[in-house]
Amino acid sequence: MDDGLLSSQDISFLLHDWLGGEGSAAALEGEGSREAVDAVLELGERIARDCFLPHYKAADRHEPTLDAGGVHVLPAVRDALRQYAEVGLFAAGFAEDLGGMGLPYLVQSALFAQFAAANIATAGYVMLTVANARLIATFGSPAQVETFARPQIDGRWLGTMCLSEPQAGSSLADIRTRAEPDGADQYGSRYRLTGNKMWISAGDHDITPNIVHLVLAKVPGPDGALVEGSRGISLFIVPKVLPDGTRNDVSVAGLNHKMGYRGTANTLLNFGERGGAVGWRIGELGQGLPQMFQMMNEARIGVGLGAAMLAYRGYRHALGYARERRQGRAPGTRGGPPLPLVEHADVRRMLLEQKAYAEGAVALCLYCAKLVDGGDDPESRSLLALLTPVAKTWPSEFGLAANDGAIQVHGGYGYTRDYDVEQLYRDNRLNAIHEGTTGIQALDLLGRKILRDKGHGLAIAGARIGVACDRGAGSAECAGYATALREAWAGVLQTVRALEAAPGTSAFDNATPFLRAFGHVVVAWLWLEQALVAEAHRGSPYHDGKLRACRFFFECELPRAAQWLALVSSGSDVWAGADPATF
Amino acid sequence: MDDGLLSSQDISFLLHDWLGGEGSAAALEGEGSREAVDAVLELGERIARDCFLPHYKAADRHEPTLDAGGVHVLPAVRDALRQYAEVGLFAAGFAEDLGGMGLPYLVQSALFAQFAAANIATAGYVMLTVANARLIATFGSPAQVETFARPQIDGRWLGTMCLSEPQAGSSLADIRTRAEPDGADQYGSRYRLTGNKMWISAGDHDITPNIVHLVLAKVPGPDGALVEGSRGISLFIVPKVLPDGTRNDVSVAGLNHKMGYRGTANTLLNFGERGGAVGWRIGELGQGLPQMFQMMNEARIGVGLGAAMLAYRGYRHALGYARERRQGRAPGTRGGPPLPLVEHADVRRMLLEQKAYAEGAVALCLYCAKLVDGGDDPESRSLLALLTPVAKTWPSEFGLAANDGAIQVHGGYGYTRDYDVEQLYRDNRLNAIHEGTTGIQALDLLGRKILRDKGHGLAIAGARIGVACDRGAGSAECAGYATALREAWAGVLQTVRALEAAPGTSAFDNATPFLRAFGHVVVAWLWLEQALVAEAHRGSPYHDGKLRACRFFFECELPRAAQWLALVSSGSDVWAGADPATF
């Protein structure tokens, strides 16, 4: 049975033939030879397969526990993360002067993909720690970097991001955690924090001796009151154990028990029950949210890639099962041995849909990862900002649909806990919620990234789509796709114009179907790009499969975009105008 | 917080104003006064709320266990079913000479809906037992009815349906359980059964002292071989405890651990490990499948109604949460207290979609239940046969989508096991699999119910849709819906003509999108019918809600049907023609 990790064929196709192969800045080649990249990816695949995959089910069955000594996780989780640290993978994306390998973000993402596929809950500890260390490395003082980021880059400590609060949820402007000034020392301006943080993944555990919390909190004004809104938010480093070896005033108030991601200890943390947790401010006062948002693109692509890989592994399992399991016969025939499931048209439908969703989602996230490598290049930055809400959302929604299909292919077996597919589905259900729900992403796309951006990002996307369509127009296989994509893109632009003219804030009422349509058009574009690469290798089953998935997407999925856009363009108030009393 | 059971307003609207109110045979009025019906429904609601609902989470957390003494379930499950038996509800649908109340199927369904909403896993024991007893009552000898059906009608014993086998799954023609003749006695022709039956819900437990298994098996021919295909299948009564008080040769080989429905003991049963389980044949040799299929309509509507009620309860929970929870502000505003979630346009979108799916699904299943009450009336039978695969599938697929939306409205909380919505979602995922997967239902609809039926059932549906459209055409509110529905129905007929002309068996390649489209058109029709009733009460929030949900369905959902039909009409081989090597 296929283990469901990203296949070497897919890595080669995506990283080298597609994303590395264009004339534009080939991040891969800039940072090391293809051999060096392949070597680190092979190392990652081995650790993912040998250390992360084996406890996927066990970590789901044996959730973290809480007692007076704190949170305890399955020993296999600890062992896997130690192994990950030992081979230096926490450092993979950091600069060499921080002990890192300086890998391009695209390669880091391909590396992360393997761990997300193998065990998303254990991989969660990695993702948080790397994001935390990167944030400190970007905005912290040299002493903060040395003291709090380096141990994470080495994998000796793990990190968290403490944003949400029980009463605030997605609305960070409403957080109430207070940070009272408490002097300064070698680590910077010192504060005492009091408040509660909810949904804190990896908030406590017995994996590493220390945990670095990054905490959003508000410093009271001269009148003692917290500044309203998000402008009052600053960012603080609050370690579980202080540099002098004493315990900080951070305690675990409870564990959240979720439907999936059960191997990741998810906690409610109380700060300052005994006078105030010590924390050091990062950067300037009131910069908490901008600092956090600067890292948010990567975190959101990470969520999307995780969702994509859950879908990918589910698809590979379903495919393996459909090839082995024999059941039923072709319509109109009787007798003879049963056929493998994959011979049934409807099973092929489910598999092809999964392939188009899962591989489309992986392609989208890796495309965005490559844009991260574009660094300060304005075109890359602008396009990345535009695509980030799509990369977060599309894999979360359609990846889940792929996982649903993987269960269906397995029939009753897929619904049992003996197979992985039901867990992949449960795990994936979280991704449309955390790091900003689909509704929040839709407002971000339409509000910040399109209407406020005055069409700048859109124009860049349009130009790239135009290039792909021009290439497609000259191809026997892809000419029809190019035409359909041009038409779909014109529909997006027309809808944006209608929204620009919408009265008041009504443009936002139908932001989610707009996001869905936009996502489908973007993924169609990236399928066309992949088809243009695959076309040269027609006749090889692997490349024919890419062409078939592209055809499926254009034939069965892209038409949905027009329907969503029609609704949005109409300015319908079908739900926005519904009186809550009538529900 | 709303408990999520079917509201008395909905019962009144659906049963009395809509389904009871038409000139046609009003089953309700025929069998008893409205007061009597209301009294039994109120009794049911009370038992559902007081005895079934409270252990919904507990039965999920504490799955049945297996030891040398057999399967043990949570005591609360046993207590609830005893209570159900005590008030005589197992008998509700049976004739008075069998100790029953002779309730119309429509009323039975409304009754069942409450238990399915409250606790689908515990309600599963009821559904199986009633189906089992009804099958014996229909096809069994008087002695069989007296000995094996009566104790179930009284609720002293429970029953099962043993169809699937580990190697056969959906393909019943391939079952291998053997029944060797063993004489005859007062209960009929006696056999000794050997074989394994998989996915047997309620296959063993400590709820009642005996369990009546209905088992599909094959009687070997003179050469000792089993007859190939489904013609060789007969149906047998195999009790756990024989009438003489000794244990029959039936043993539990294992429990299946599922993603949901965890309170229903789901087993692998071995028959005949010690020489052969004693069973008595029901009816004639080789009639097993036709007998089973005669009951299948009801079982499938039952699955659909269960799915619909899971969706319904999830919706009611989401609505309650959205009214209470305050978070965020309107676009473009700052400061002031956070708004209740229900004030946000995107939350209204999710709620309205859930309402349209959940209430649409309930309406569909109750409409079919009313057709069951039509008995041997050819028009009712034919329409019921046509709609049954829709009633099974549509609520299972779109009800699950509603449950997905209920989680999303709850945000991170919805993903935790503290709230019911994640369990409702897990439970509902089964419904597209058991009692015939979506793919199987699609083949049934297109093959048996449309192409082989020569358009007879379609014509009846078309006539009723025409009546609804005629009524709608004269209404300010509904005229547009009537036009859209007529057009959609014409699209269905046109697609059927294209499929009739399709070469070979290729018509079946795209049966599932055909089923989806057909389902959406049917549900649109039933929303129009409900809107026509609601229209007269415009201004009451309840009825305005129905009108709004109907508008949503026509504006956002019905257009999807045209897209699916376009794909089907095109005869595309996008998946059917995909080479398995390319996946």
Side-chain angles (χ1 to χ4, degrees):
Chain A
M1 175 70 84
D2 190 329
D3 59 20
L5 303 192
L6 199 57
S7 73
S8 55
Q9 274 188 311
D10 272 325
I11 290 176
S12 178
F13 178 81
L14 293 165
L15 265 63
H16 299 299
D17 300 344
W18 177 38
L19 295 173
E22 287 180 5
S24 64
L28 291 182
E29 318 302 325
E31 301 285 339
S33 68
R34 174 161 175 167
E35 286 67 32
V37 165
D38 288 345
V40 72
L41 290 178
E42 273 161 35
L43 169 70
E45 193 205 337
R46 184 169 59 74
I47 305 279
R49 196 180 51 238
D50 296 350
C51 306
F52 280 60
L53 189 57
H55 68 278
Y56 181 64
K57 273 281 168 201
D60 184 69
R61 284 186 188 132
H62 308 286
E63 281 180 294
T65 55
L66 173 64
D67 64 21
V71 175
H72 307 280
V73 303
L74 199 70
V77 174
R78 191 172 53 222
D79 297 344
L81 291 166
R82 282 192 185 154
Q83 195 63 40
Y84 191 88
E86 223 158 77
V87 297
L89 286 177
F90 277 101
F94 289 90
E96 283 173 31
D97 60 357
L98 288 171
M101 302 183 199
L103 284 183
Y105 195 73
L106 177 59
V107 180
Q108 289 177 57
S109 296
L111 193 62
F112 175 72
Q114 302 295 29
F115 294 91
N119 195 320
I120 192 76
T122 302
Y125 295 94
V126 170
M127 190 165 94
L128 287 163
T129 299
V130 169
N132 179 313
R134 200 189 306 274
L135 210 155
I136 298 176
T138 307
F139 299 106
S141 67
Q144 290 174 339
V145 174
E146 187 55 34
T147 311
F148 301 111
R150 278 305 288 263
Q152 296 190 77
I153 295 169
D154 298 345
R156 290 180 285 120
W157 299 352
L158 299 179
T160 76
M161 304 292 235
C162 301
L163 285 69
S164 292
E165 298 184 4
Q167 82 292 345
S170 300
S171 184
L172 291 174
D174 292 322
I175 64 168
R176 290 186 207 141
T177 298
R178 297 172 74 90
E180 304 271 359
D182 186 37
D185 60 23
Q186 66 201 99
Y187 309 112
S189 298
R190 200 174 56 223
Y191 290 79
R192 292 282 180 165
L193 279 78
T194 51
N196 319 105
K197 289 291 179 178
M198 187 55 166
W199 310 120
I200 308 311
S201 289
D204 194 43
H205 50 71
D206 50 6
I207 301 169
T208 52
N210 202 0
I211 300 172
V212 180
H213 303 292
L214 284 180
V215 184
L216 290 182
K218 290 184 172 182
V219 178
D223 60 349
L226 300 181
V227 178
E228 259 201 25
S230 59
R231 287 159 302 124
I233 301 175
S234 303
L235 185 62
F236 302 87
I237 299 171
V238 183
K240 174 179 173 179
V241 178
L242 293 166
D244 67 4
T246 60
R247 267 299 289 268
N248 203 351
D249 185 6
V250 181
S251 60
V252 187
L255 285 170
N256 296 310
H257 296 286
K258 296 181 171 182
M259 167 187 198
Y261 271 78
R262 292 169 66 163
T264 307
N266 190 276
T267 57
L268 170 60
L269 293 183
N270 288 351
F271 291 83
E273 286 186 328
R274 301 187 310 280
V278 174
W280 290 274
R281 202 181 72 221
I282 298 185
E284 296 305 307
L285 263 178
Q287 288 304 301
L289 226 46
Q291 287 165 346
M292 195 58 88
F293 268 109
Q294 197 153 331
M295 316 309 295
M296 205 61 105
N297 281 339
E298 293 174 33
R300 287 178 170 171
I301 297 166
V303 169
L305 185 55
M309 292 311 302
L310 288 167
Y312 183 94
R313 180 147 75 94
Y315 164 57
R316 302 299 300 188
H317 282 317
L319 178 58
Y321 186 80
R323 284 181 169 151
E324 278 169 24
R325 168 88 175 177
R326 290 176 165 272
Q327 195 176 304
R329 286 162 195 80
T333 63
R334 281 171 200 273
L339 294 176
L341 286 177
V342 75
E343 295 297 331
H344 296 292
D346 199 55
V347 173
R348 290 190 193 177
R349 177 185 64 78
M350 293 188 273
L351 291 171
L352 192 56
E353 181 181 272
Q354 288 170 62
K355 183 179 172 76
Y357 289 165
E359 297 180 4
V362 173
L364 168 64
C365 296
L366 293 184
Y367 189 90
C368 289
K370 189 178 163 185
L371 292 175
V372 173
D373 287 323
D376 290 333
D377 162 53
E379 183 177 317
S380 296
R381 280 182 71 120
S382 195
L383 188 55
L384 176 62
L386 179 73
L387 295 185
T388 296
V390 180
K392 157 68 171 69
T393 306
W394 201 91
S396 300
E397 302 226 319
F398 294 93
L400 184 71
N403 286 124
D404 182 81
I407 292 177
Q408 196 70 13
V409 168
H410 283 77
Y413 291 99
Y415 191 72
T416 67
R417 308 206 296 280
D418 300 322
Y419 286 76
D420 284 359
V421 287
E422 67 87 28
Q423 187 184 338
L424 293 167
Y425 178 72
R426 283 190 287 111
D427 285 345
N428 218 353
R429 182 61 190 83
L430 182 58
N431 287 312
I433 298 172
H434 64 177
E435 294 287 347
T437 62
T438 297
I440 299 272
Q441 302 300 324
L443 294 176
D444 179 51
L445 174 70
L446 187 59
R448 262 192 220 98
K449 309 299 178 57
I450 293 185
L451 299 181
R452 196 191 298 173
D453 183 58
K454 307 278 184 217
H456 186 63
L458 271 186
I460 294 165
R464 294 202 180 191
I465 287 172
V467 170
C469 289
D470 289 345
R471 290 173 57 207
S475 135
E477 179 90 29
C478 301
Y481 307 151
T483 307
L485 181 59
R486 262 192 231 282
E487 203 172 297
W489 186 250
V492 168
L493 297 181
Q494 198 178 345
T495 305
V496 170
R497 282 194 296 273
L499 291 172
E500 283 167 345
T505 59
S506 66
F508 296 101
D509 291 348
N510 302 325
T512 297
F514 178 79
L515 167 65
R516 291 224 169 105
F518 190 79
H520 257 51
V521 174
V522 165
V523 174
W525 155 39
L526 299 181
W527 265 120
L528 172 58
E529 290 220 354
Q530 293 178 82
L532 288 167
V533 175
E535 206 188 8
H537 308 274
R538 193 163 237 330
S540 103
Y542 176 83
H543 295 94
D544 286 353
K546 292 288 180 200
L547 291 167
R548 180 67 66 157
C550 179
R551 181 183 151 194
F552 172 87
F553 204 87
F554 275 86
E555 213 170 303
C556 304
E557 294 294 327
L558 186 59
R560 301 172 72 179
Q563 220 152 64
W564 287 314
L565 290 176
L567 180 86
V568 177
S569 294
S570 77
S572 171
D573 74 339
V574 61
W575 49 73
D579 178 350
T582 65
F583 278 110
Chain B
M1 172 72 81
D2 190 333
D3 60 19
L5 302 193
L6 199 58
S7 73
S8 56
Q9 273 187 312
D10 271 324
I11 290 176
S12 177
F13 179 80
L14 292 165
L15 264 63
H16 299 298
D17 300 342
W18 178 39
L19 295 174
E22 287 179 6
S24 64
L28 291 183
E29 318 302 325
E31 301 283 342
S33 69
R34 173 161 177 166
E35 286 67 29
V37 165
D38 287 346
V40 71
L41 289 178
E42 273 161 34
L43 169 70
E45 194 206 335
R46 184 170 59 73
I47 305 280
R49 197 182 49 238
D50 295 350
C51 305
F52 280 62
L53 190 57
H55 68 279
Y56 180 64
K57 273 284 167 199
D60 185 70
R61 284 188 187 130
H62 308 285
E63 281 179 293
T65 56
L66 173 64
D67 63 21
V71 175
H72 308 280
V73 304
L74 199 71
V77 174
R78 190 173 55 224
D79 297 344
L81 291 166
R82 283 195 183 149
Q83 195 62 40
Y84 191 87
E86 225 158 76
V87 297
L89 286 177
F90 277 100
F94 290 88
E96 284 173 30
D97 61 357
L98 288 171
M101 303 183 197
L103 284 184
Y105 196 72
L106 177 59
V107 180
Q108 289 177 57
S109 296
L111 194 62
F112 175 73
Q114 302 295 30
F115 294 91
N119 195 322
I120 192 76
T122 302
Y125 294 93
V126 170
M127 189 165 96
L128 286 163
T129 299
V130 169
N132 178 314
R134 200 189 307 273
L135 211 154
I136 298 176
T138 308
F139 299 106
S141 67
Q144 290 173 341
V145 174
E146 187 55 34
T147 312
F148 302 111
R150 279 304 288 264
Q152 296 189 75
I153 294 169
D154 298 344
R156 291 180 286 117
W157 300 353
L158 299 179
T160 75
M161 305 292 236
C162 301
L163 284 69
S164 292
E165 299 185 4
Q167 82 292 344
S170 300
S171 184
L172 291 174
D174 291 322
I175 64 168
R176 290 185 206 140
T177 297
R178 297 173 75 90
E180 304 271 1
D182 185 37
D185 60 23
Q186 66 199 100
Y187 309 112
S189 299
R190 200 174 56 223
Y191 290 79
R192 292 283 181 163
L193 279 78
T194 51
N196 318 106
K197 289 291 181 179
M198 187 56 166
W199 310 122
I200 308 311
S201 288
D204 195 45
H205 51 71
D206 50 6
I207 301 169
T208 52
N210 202 0
I211 300 171
V212 180
H213 304 292
L214 284 180
V215 184
L216 289 181
K218 290 184 171 184
V219 178
D223 60 349
L226 301 180
V227 178
E228 261 202 24
S230 60
R231 285 159 304 125
I233 301 175
S234 302
L235 184 63
F236 302 86
I237 299 172
V238 183
K240 174 179 174 178
V241 178
L242 293 166
D244 67 5
T246 60
R247 267 298 289 266
N248 202 351
D249 185 3
V250 182
S251 60
V252 187
L255 284 169
N256 295 310
H257 296 287
K258 295 181 172 182
M259 169 188 196
Y261 271 76
R262 292 168 70 162
T264 309
N266 190 276
T267 58
L268 171 60
L269 294 183
N270 287 352
F271 291 83
E273 286 187 329
R274 301 184 313 279
V278 174
W280 289 274
R281 204 182 70 221
I282 299 185
E284 296 305 306
L285 263 178
Q287 289 302 303
L289 227 46
Q291 288 165 346
M292 195 57 87
F293 269 108
Q294 199 155 328
M295 316 310 293
M296 204 63 102
N297 281 340
E298 292 174 34
R300 287 179 170 170
I301 297 166
V303 169
L305 185 55
M309 293 311 302
L310 289 167
Y312 183 94
R313 181 148 73 96
Y315 164 56
R316 303 299 301 188
H317 282 317
L319 178 58
Y321 186 80
R323 284 179 170 151
E324 278 170 25
R325 168 88 176 178
R326 291 177 165 271
Q327 195 176 304
R329 287 161 193 82
T333 63
R334 280 170 200 274
L339 295 175
L341 286 178
V342 74
E343 296 297 334
H344 297 291
D346 199 55
V347 173
R348 291 189 191 176
R349 176 185 63 79
M350 293 188 274
L351 291 171
L352 191 56
E353 181 181 272
Q354 288 170 61
K355 182 179 172 79
Y357 288 165
E359 297 180 4
V362 173
L364 168 65
C365 296
L366 293 183
Y367 189 90
C368 289
K370 189 178 164 187
L371 293 175
V372 173
D373 287 324
D376 290 335
D377 163 52
E379 183 176 317
S380 295
R381 279 181 71 117
S382 195
L383 189 56
L384 176 62
L386 179 73
L387 296 185
T388 296
V390 180
K392 158 67 171 69
T393 306
W394 201 91
S396 300
E397 302 225 320
F398 294 94
L400 185 71
N403 286 125
D404 182 80
I407 292 177
Q408 195 70 16
V409 168
H410 284 75
Y413 291 100
Y415 191 72
T416 68
R417 308 205 297 280
D418 300 322
Y419 286 75
D420 284 359
V421 287
E422 67 87 29
Q423 187 184 340
L424 292 166
Y425 178 72
R426 283 189 288 111
D427 284 346
N428 218 352
R429 183 61 189 84
L430 183 58
N431 288 312
I433 298 172
H434 64 177
E435 293 288 346
T437 62
T438 297
I440 300 273
Q441 302 300 325
L443 294 176
D444 179 51
L445 174 70
L446 186 58
R448 262 191 220 99
K449 309 298 176 56
I450 293 185
L451 299 180
R452 198 192 297 173
D453 183 58
K454 307 277 183 218
H456 187 63
L458 270 186
I460 294 165
R464 295 203 180 189
I465 287 172
V467 170
C469 289
D470 289 345
R471 290 174 58 207
S475 134
E477 178 90 30
C478 300
Y481 307 151
T483 307
L485 180 58
R486 264 192 229 282
E487 204 172 296
W489 186 250
V492 167
L493 298 181
Q494 199 177 343
T495 305
V496 170
R497 282 194 295 274
L499 290 172
E500 282 166 345
T505 60
S506 65
F508 296 103
D509 291 347
N510 302 326
T512 296
F514 177 80
L515 168 65
R516 292 224 169 105
F518 190 79
H520 257 51
V521 174
V522 165
V523 173
W525 155 38
L526 299 180
W527 265 120
L528 172 58
E529 290 220 353
Q530 293 179 82
L532 289 166
V533 174
E535 207 187 5
H537 308 274
R538 194 164 237 326
S540 104
Y542 176 83
H543 295 95
D544 285 353
K546 293 286 182 201
L547 291 167
R548 181 65 68 156
C550 178
R551 180 181 153 196
F552 171 86
F553 204 85
F554 275 86
E555 212 170 303
C556 304
E557 293 294 327
L558 185 60
R560 301 172 72 179
Q563 221 153 65
W564 287 315
L565 291 175
L567 180 86
V568 177
S569 294
S570 77
S572 171
D573 74 340
V574 61
W575 49 73
D579 178 350
T582 66
F583 278 110

